[in-house]
Amino acid sequence: CLNMSGANKSTIWFFGYGSNMDSENLSKKKGVEVLQSTPAVLRGYKMAFSLAAIPLAEPFFANCEKGSESDNIHGVAFETDADSIAKMDKVEMGYDKASVILEAYDGRKLDGYVYVNKPQREVRVGNPSGRYLRLLINGAKAAGLNKDYIARLEATPVYKPSAETLAKRAALTSATYPTKEMTQEALGKDLSHFVSVFGYIIDAGPSTGFFSSHRGKDITNRMLRHYLNLPLDSVEDPQDAEHLPNLKLLESRPDAVDFVWTWFDQHASSGTVVARHAAFLAAQEVDSSTGKPRSQWTIPTA
């Protein structure tokens, strides 16, 4: 999979068929340096939403599976360097890699690789989140992929919370909770036990390493950035009333709000709502001296 580009620099082609079709997503969120790209076809494989992930928020991701001779996946072949691939491998740790030959739309045959499902992982087919499918569709359109292939993507059903999940959400968010600062002193445990969504503090139990970036904070702004395909860890996320989200502003983005609520569902499914986040509630208040919202937060943009 290595090509020599210049005297001392090796480059690698890889095939993006899921969210990795979007070069902007690769560069902004995964730190990949894209040297060149081209629409391409991978023959003998098929794409399915069969990589089970986060049940109540991001239930299934795209997976590349061995298929028949007539099967094929349209995507984007990217040339990049070894440093970028090392970054990709960390992000795509749920996948293995397979060496493949890619057929570029311009007729070139490219030796490269594709991320495929690990053999030991359970394979089930389900619906992706609307956020994830949107990444695929946007990436496919930006790359100029086959129109019939794009139409197939657009016809894919997306995840919707079940009636049971929505009933549980309604019950939890209509209950009364004490208002507390999100501090160890106020909550009585190390902050690594807690995550807050829309100002509902959830005791999620001891951290196991999964979603460690969610612990000890309100993740509303983080999940909004994720939904909007913006960098997550390279920006500050202050947790005071002046910088936490103002829900009034989100009335114009019900799609984004719905996505963030799925993360409440996910964390609450195995945790317990114990309090309301004092600073988050304060962020919704209006300053009596100025008549302006206390929160100076704005909807994230690139």
Side-chain angles (χ1 to χ4, degrees), residues 245-263:
N246 179 346
L247 297 183
K248 190 72 175 173
L249 294 181
L250 287 173
E251 292 177 357
S252 64
R253 292 302 306 265
D255 55 328
V257 170
D258 287 346
F259 175 74
V260 178
W261 274 121
T262 65
W263 280 96

Side-chain angles (χ1 to χ4, degrees), residues 4-30:
M4 298 309 296
S5 176
N8 299 306
K9 186 175 181 181
S10 63
T11 64
I12 307 169
W13 285 95
F14 76 91
F15 185 65
Y17 58 89
S19 62
N20 289 339
M21 286 190 292
D22 188 333
S23 60
E24 185 178 6
N25 182 59
L26 284 175
S27 61
K28 289 198 306 186
K29 295 191 73 174
K30 299 183 180 181

Side-chain angles (χ1 to χ4, degrees), residues 34-93:
V34 176
L35 303 176
Q36 62 170 309
S37 64
T38 180
V41 181
L42 174 60
R43 301 196 183 278
Y45 284 82
K46 59 183 178 180
M47 189 184 78
F49 293 100
S50 58
L51 186 61
I54 306 158
L56 301 180
E58 299 274 12
F60 290 91
F61 292 131
N63 187 26
C64 179
E65 301 175 354
K66 241 336 191 177
S68 67
E69 290 184 1
S70 62
D71 286 322
N72 61 74
I73 305 175
H74 288 250
V76 183
F78 293 95
E79 186 182 23
T80 187
D81 57 33
D83 289 341
S84 292
I85 291 302
K87 294 176 184 177
M88 285 281 293
D89 288 346
K90 289 182 180 179
V91 176
E92 308 294 352
M93 63 178 64

